[in-house]
């Protein structure tokens, strides 16, 4: 599947027309992950936003502690890395490939520009964000 067709199937980009998808596909950079590879480290400064093209990643709190907590597992068309970009805070969890995976990455700058030009994208991300916060919160209070 071409990059543009892949992006067309990503729910948060469903509001975008052909031209916007074409533009987006040009500014996103492919990133291959081997099973077990970490793409985002909890506590790091944020540089990018990611969409999963294929494969599977896990989201972990305290990945290097004695009791890591699995917050989420994400697959094709899911996104990650938005939280730190929205708030300008460090990454709140570690994201690691469970199997060989292909992602598309966008810089912080392009991500913010995209949100400003198409606020509908941000709106479509909101329910997912709230669900993620609820899950993260429930793990904190456990
Ligand atoms: P960020 O904090 O930038 O980096 C870690 C990412 O994990 C986070 O953004 C989210 O995109 C992603 N994530 C997915 N599910 C969750 C969850 N339940 N709690 C926290 N982060 C999650």
């Amino acid at each position: 599947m071409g990059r543009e067709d892949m992006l067309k199937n990503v729910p948060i980009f469903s509001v975008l027309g052909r031209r916007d998808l074409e533009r987006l596909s040009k500014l996103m950079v492919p990133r291959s992950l081997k099973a077990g590879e970490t793409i985002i480290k909890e506590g790091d400064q944020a540089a990018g936003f990611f969409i999963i093209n294929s494969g599977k990643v896990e989201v972990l709190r305290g990945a290097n502690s004695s009791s890591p907590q699995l917050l989420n597992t994400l697959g094709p068309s899911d996104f990650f890395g938005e939280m730190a970009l929205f708030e300008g805070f460090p990454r709140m969890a570690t994201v690691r490939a469970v199997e060989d995976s292909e992602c598309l990455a966008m810089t912080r700058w392009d991500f913010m520009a995209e949100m400003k030009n198409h606020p509908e994208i941000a709106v479509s991300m909101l329910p997912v964000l709230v669900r993620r916060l609820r899950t993260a919160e429930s793990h904190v209070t456990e």
Side-chain angles (χ1 to χ4, degrees):
M1 202 196 301
R3 210 183 285 182
E4 209 178 306
D5 290 322
M6 183 256 150
L7 287 174
K8 201 163 66 184
N9 293 325
V10 174
I12 57 164
F13 294 145
S14 62
V15 291
L16 299 180
R18 181 121 217 114
R19 276 197 167 176
D20 284 321
L21 286 169
E22 196 182 315
R23 188 177 41 78
L24 208 60
S25 73
K26 284 186 185 138
L27 57 86
M28 293 194 84
V29 178
R31 173 89 194 263
S32 300
L33 297 173
K34 287 272 165 232
E37 195 178 335
T38 294
I39 182 162
I40 281 183
K41 255 200 206 138
E42 183 176 344
D44 275 4
Q45 287 304 313
F49 168 78
F50 304 87
I51 300 279
I52 303 174
N53 192 355
S54 65
K56 199 197 274 184
V57 304
E58 58 187 5
V59 181
L60 300 155
R61 260 278 173 77
N64 295 323
S65 72
S66 53
S67 52
Q69 296 176 325
L70 180 68
L71 294 183
N72 211 344
T73 304
L74 307 172
S77 294
D78 284 333
F79 61 86
F80 60 93
E82 78 294 346
M83 289 189 177
L85 294 190
F86 274 135
E87 61 178 358
F89 264 58
R91 299 295 194 187
M92 71 175 291
T94 290
V95 181
R96 183 195 287 161
V98 181
E99 53 190 57
D100 289 357
S101 306
E102 298 288 332
C103 299
L104 286 177
M106 196 190 279
T107 64
R108 174 187 202 128
W109 196 87
D110 283 333
F111 175 76
M112 294 317 282
E114 220 47 53
M115 295 297 123
K116 284 193 182 119
N117 290 333
H118 299 281
E120 313 95 288
I121 297 177
V123 171
S124 69
M125 286 174 122
L126 282 173
V128 181
L129 256 167
V130 172
R131 210 175 313 130
R132 289 178 178 180
L133 285 173
R134 279 190 205 277
T135 318
E137 184 73 10
S138 71
H139 277 79
V140 169
T141 52
E142 250 171 24

